[in-house]
Amino acid sequence: MSESPVVTAMVPEWTDITDGVRPYGKCLLLTSEGVAVIGEYDGHPENYVAFAPLPRIPARIKERLHARA
C-alpha cells in the first residue's frame, strides 16, 4: 500500500450560513441532511447549514483545459 499525500483547503472548515453570512454564486453547500453539493444558495436556511467557496481556476490550468477541447 503506497502512501500518497492528501490535499486539503487552506481553510478546511465549513462556514455556517447565518443571517449575516450567506454564500453568493456557486459554492459547495452542506445540506441539512449532511450531503455536500455544488450549487447556488437558494436563500432557504432550512435546506443548508454551511458552505465553502470553490477554488478559482488559475489561468495556466484554464489554458490546459481549453487545449484539450
Side-chain angles (χ1 to χ4, degrees), residues 7-68:
V7 179
T8 60
M10 296 296 285
V11 180
E13 295 181 357
W14 291 96
T15 301
D16 293 347
I17 296 175
T18 64
D19 289 336
V21 180
R22 293 178 178 220
Y24 295 100
K26 274 192 180 173
C27 61
L28 186 60
L29 295 159
L30 185 62
T31 68
S32 54
E33 291 82 21
V35 177
V37 296
I38 294 177
E40 292 189 30
Y41 179 61
D42 63 6
H44 295 114
E46 65 276 7
N47 296 337
Y48 305 101
V49 295
F51 73 97
L54 294 174
R56 294 183 189 267
I57 302 173
R60 63 181 163 64
I61 294 177
K62 283 184 183 180
E63 288 173 12
R64 289 175 54 198
L65 291 171
H66 294 298
R68 295 180 186 202

Side-chain angles (χ1 to χ4, degrees), residues 1-10 12:
M1 184 175 198
S2 68
E3 295 281 332
S4 59
V6 175
V7 179
T8 60
M10 296 296 285

